[in-house]
Amino acid sequence: MGLAPAAHVLYSQMRFNPKNPEWLNRDRFVLSNGHACALLYSLLHLFGYDFSLDDLRNFRQLNSKTPGHPEFELPGVEVTTGPLGQGICNAIGMAMAQAHIAARFNKPNFEISNNYTYCIFGDGCMMEGVASEAMSLAGHLKLNKLIAFYDDNHISIDGNTNCAFTEDVTQRLEAYGWNVIWVKDGNNDIEGVAKAIEQAKKVTDKPTCIRLTTTIGYGSLNEGTHGVHGSPLKPADIKQLKEKWGFNPDESFVVPQEVHDLYQKTIDSGIAAEQEWNALFSKYAVQYPEEAAELSRRISGEFPANWTSKLPVYTPADAAVASRKLSEIVIESVHDTLPELIGGSADLTGSNLTRWKEAIDFQPPSTGLGTYAGRYIRYGVREHGMGAIMNGISAYGAFKTYGGTFLNFVSYASGALRLSALSGHPVIWVATHDSIGLGEDGPTHQPIETLAHFRALPNCMVWRPADGNETSAAYKQALESKHTPSVIALSRQNLPQLEGSSIAKASRGGYTLVEKADADIILISTGSEVSLAVEASKFLEETKGIKAGVVSLPDFHTFDQQSHDYRLSVLPDGVPILSIEVMSTSGWAKYSHQQFGLDRFGASGPAPKVYDFFEFNKEGVASRAEKTVAFYKGKHVSSPLNKAF
Ligand SMILES: Cc1ncc(C[n+]2csc(CCOP(=O)(O)OP(=O)(O)O)c2C)c(N)n1
Ligand SMILES: *[C@@H]1O[C@H](CO)[C@@H](O)[C@H](O)[C@H]1NC(C)=O
Ligand SMILES: *[C@@H]1O[C@H](CO)[C@@H](O)[C@H](O)[C@H]1NC(C)=O
Ligand SMILES: CC(=O)N[C@H]1CO[C@H](CO)[C@@H](O)[C@@H]1O
Ligand SMILES: CC(=O)N[C@H]1CO[C@H](CO)[C@@H](O)[C@@H]1O
Ligand SMILES: [Mg+2]
């Protein structure tokens, strides 16, 4: 209720078409304090989106269109919000996406993209570190079409913010390079809010934050206390509140006609704005057919036909190459064909190899470091901010986005990655230095639990390719994905090209790499340990007469989606299966009877020595394989895939 006046002013001047919520050049709005979603749902109802009064009545009920926090799939909801701090970062990603589209496609007399990204956030968002990461970057990037409102109400769940949050937010944001306008009576000063928005639009080199000092639950008997943060008002309170604002206290869920009439003006002008834009775009298409075709294709989300011919393939005779380098070769090879690809790194460009040679940096032109048409983003050391910004870029539409860092530090961004999976943003993490194989940097940098963690996320692909063909497969699946994010775990050390890998086979998530008739055991593995499994298989046959087949399982999620028959052909009944991965064994029981992994932290030293220390060498694998074969000898062995349901 404290935000209702500002929200009224904001939405009244926004441009959007509620009948076509996907229109590219709409103004976008993100409610970063997602717990205040009753406000958003009310706005969406009043401004003509597909939200009925019944939808509002069903607030927070099972399968309603008005869930406990705003969800991406709902009409007029730009991103899922609720975990505090994320929404403002998403809005920053959208403003970056808009700046890029404008720089790439606008032409003299053709302002194809010129619209605004708005956001409301609260004390909670401001306290979260992820917001600091992204807001600092937004200031550096001078995103002048971003206008955010700070709900400065001095209340969070623990009560008055004076118990934990006493910084000067204005000074902090100014130090980040933001323009800050303070509306001291956000409860009533409608004109002040309108003027602040006008002023914000005149600033050409900074994002703006409109600081609104408000009273939480304004008008309620409990206004200004945390008592109104989450609990419904008592009937007597609602009665006095309605009387105070001139409504009939005996009526509920009633919108006076004059309110509809007022907001209809905004709806009508939004519809007209879209029609004008469509006309503009038709003329643009005549004068700039290539650009128009590219933009239309990108909005549709379809890739150019035959783009996969750009994916590199290798032969077993090709040299051993680190998969982070193989990843760079893919990016270098596809970036021209896929202009929607926009990527970056959290300050590990040189190690991560995420930048193609001719890439232009995404930077404000005034820095002399790049342009907004640039497609390489310098995120700085801000993994979590990068993840949340990527979600915003993805939600904007017309982009495919990736970000690079060490696999271990993707965990810093797990709050954002979880939302990628939950809301279906198909962003890509280029996660290098994927194991103890990174060597000297030691246990602080060596991922152990990371893959198990991300594999446990619903709707998340976690690729760990074993060679060049598998790296191309991982990129193929990740880039073509429409609703599933990917983590691509890549090695620092060189990996040989495996006889028998292919893009098609690896694209199934798992496949038989070394087929053995009447196998005594199957070794199942990922990434850098697949070549080790192949080596161990040869060693076992030569020294022990044990026949070991080898399965490569580059992505659990994709493999799980294959038919039962296919999966059973890879992991059949009757053969014990041993998994080999230099990581936590958690999760591997789904595909194997016995696990060889690393359920402790790693060690600092040269990579080959660290591998030997943990016995990840052909002898270490072979001795465990032998024990597994002996243990299962004469026992009935059922495939781990066979379950009651
Ligand atoms: C990351 C995260 N941590 C904790 C919460 C739980 N939570 C929901 S609202 C809230 C307080 C937010 O305070 P503020 O943003 O000032 O909102 P107000 O009470 O003013 O509406 C908290 C801690 C959350 N939603 N997200
Ligand atoms: C696809 O691209 C490859 C390599 O660029 C080319 O050789 C082939 O003819 C193309 N195929 C089609 C159907 O366009
Ligand atoms: C990679 O895939 C291609 C095409 O499927 C295949 O010809 C080649 O032999 C594969 N390379 C290896 C190393 O298996
Ligand atoms: C092209 C277009 O429709 N631009 C609109 C962007 O939004 C502003 C208001 O926020 C409108 O005035 C423009 O017409
Ligand atoms: C192969 C490569 O580019 N290696 C570089 C990785 O990044 C470090 C700095 O972080 C450089 O020293 C390496 O040369
Ligand atoms: Mg607050």
Side-chain angles (χ1 to χ4, degrees), residues 117-438:
T117 303
Y118 297 101
C119 177
I120 295 180
F121 64 87
D123 300 303
C125 293
M126 211 53 208
M127 286 187 249
E128 290 288 356
V130 66
S132 308
E133 294 180 19
M135 291 177 98
S136 163
L137 185 62
H140 164 80
L141 291 173
K142 304 182 192 296
L143 300 172
N144 67 305
K145 287 197 168 325
L146 173 66
I147 302 177
F149 295 80
Y150 165 39
D151 180 22
D152 173 31
N153 65 11
H154 290 273
I155 289 288
S156 64
I157 289 184
D158 269 13
N160 194 307
T161 51
N162 66 11
C163 72
F165 186 58
T166 47
E167 70 186 32
D168 186 328
V169 170
T170 299
Q171 284 190 26
R172 172 173 159 209
L173 289 181
E174 282 173 355
Y176 286 166
W178 285 58
N179 168 46
V180 182
I181 303 171
W182 192 0
V183 177
K184 293 189 176 165
D185 180 8
N187 297 328
N188 298 293
D189 190 1
I190 285 183
E191 249 171 60
V193 174
K195 266 197 212 128
I197 296 174
E198 266 171 50
Q199 256 178 282
K201 286 184 176 174
K202 289 193 186 118
V203 176
T204 56
D205 60 349
K206 285 176 180 182
T208 289
C209 175
I210 299 174
R211 175 179 172 187
L212 295 168
T213 299
T214 65
T215 306
I216 192 167
Y218 186 56
S220 151
L221 297 173
N222 289 322
E223 67 174 22
T225 72
H226 65 131
V228 285
H229 166 96
S231 21
L233 303 187
K234 302 237 153 45
D237 197 359
I238 295 177
K239 183 167 184 293
Q240 69 82 29
L241 184 78
K242 286 187 177 169
E243 278 164 355
K244 202 183 290 175
W245 302 140
F247 293 103
N248 180 346
D250 301 323
E251 287 180 345
S252 288
F253 293 98
V254 173
V255 179
Q257 189 55 39
E258 55 196 302
V259 174
H260 282 307
D261 292 346
L262 178 67
Y263 291 150
Q264 191 61 42
K265 287 182 197 151
T266 299
I267 300 171
D268 289 343
S269 69
I271 292 172
E274 187 191 1
Q275 281 165 353
E276 274 168 42
W277 187 86
N278 287 338
L280 183 79
F281 192 71
S282 300
K283 283 190 213 148
Y284 179 84
V286 174
Q287 217 158 327
Y288 302 100
E290 272 179 35
E291 283 86 349
E294 179 191 319
L295 185 58
S296 301
R297 181 185 65 69
R298 286 171 58 169
I299 293 171
S300 79
E302 295 307 319
F303 279 177
N306 201 18
W307 81 273
T308 51
S309 66
K310 293 283 175 187
L311 289 168
V313 287
Y314 297 81
T315 72
D318 286 324
V321 184
S323 54
R324 64 170 173 166
K325 181 74 189 170
L326 295 164
S327 156
E328 180 187 49
I329 296 168
V330 174
I331 292 170
E332 188 68 56
S333 177
V334 304
H335 79 265
D336 252 351
T337 310
L338 301 179
E340 55 268 71
L341 192 62
I342 182 165
S345 170
D347 198 46
L348 286 167
T349 300
S351 308
N352 303 158
L353 309 178
T354 43
R355 187 172 186 270
W356 62 92
K357 282 193 205 72
E358 309 287 312
I360 295 169
D361 282 0
F362 176 84
Q363 295 278 4
S366 61
T367 58
L369 299 171
T371 71
Y372 288 135
R375 289 162 54 198
Y376 193 75
I377 302 165
R378 303 284 182 172
Y379 280 104
V381 193
R382 300 181 180 104
E383 296 83 7
H384 199 179
M386 175 165 79
I389 286 172
M390 287 203 289
N391 286 341
I393 294 174
S394 180
Y396 189 89
F399 287 96
K400 263 287 158 178
T401 192
Y402 67 86
T405 184
F406 291 168
L407 175 61
N408 201 47
F409 303 139
V410 181
S411 298
Y412 265 49
S414 46
L417 178 53
R418 186 173 190 279
L419 278 170
S420 311
L422 174 67
S423 17
H425 303 304
V427 308
I428 301 171
W429 284 87
V430 179
T432 67
H433 297 62
D434 73 344
S435 75
I436 54 168
L438 64 83

Side-chain angles (χ1 to χ4, degrees), residues 20-94:
N20 178 15
E22 300 301 311
W23 171 37
L24 184 81
N25 198 35
R26 67 190 180 275
D27 287 334
R28 285 155 213 256
F29 172 73
V30 175
L31 185 72
S32 193
N33 46 344
H35 58 272
C37 57
L39 173 71
L40 179 58
Y41 300 147
S42 306
L43 288 167
L44 293 174
H45 169 72
L46 293 171
F47 283 94
Y49 285 88
D50 188 9
F51 275 90
S52 67
L53 282 177
D54 273 341
D55 291 326
L56 298 186
R57 276 191 195 96
N58 284 329
F59 185 52
R60 295 194 137 196
Q61 297 310 303
L62 199 59
N63 295 325
S64 74
K65 270 169 75 180
T66 48
H69 290 91
E71 293 179 9
F72 180 51
E73 301 73 22
L74 298 167
V77 176
E78 299 284 356
V79 280
T80 298
T81 52
L84 296 171
Q86 300 284 335
I88 176 65
C89 306
N90 301 156
I92 289 164
M94 289 178 191

Side-chain angles (χ1 to χ4, degrees), residues 455-488:
R455 284 167 178 158
L457 272 179
N459 192 38
C460 185
M461 294 191 274
V462 182
W463 289 91
R464 190 165 184 249
D467 73 351
N469 280 353
E470 287 198 6
T471 304
S472 288
Y475 269 95
K476 176 176 183 293
Q477 298 306 106
L479 286 166
E480 286 184 340
S481 165
K482 300 241 194 245
H483 304 289
T484 305
S486 305
V487 177
I488 307 182

Side-chain angles (χ1 to χ4, degrees), residues 1-17:
M1 291 189 286
L3 282 171
H8 153 76
V9 177
L10 171 60
Y11 260 73
S12 298
Q13 60 85 57
M14 272 170 59
R15 287 292 174 282
F16 53 82
N17 178 0

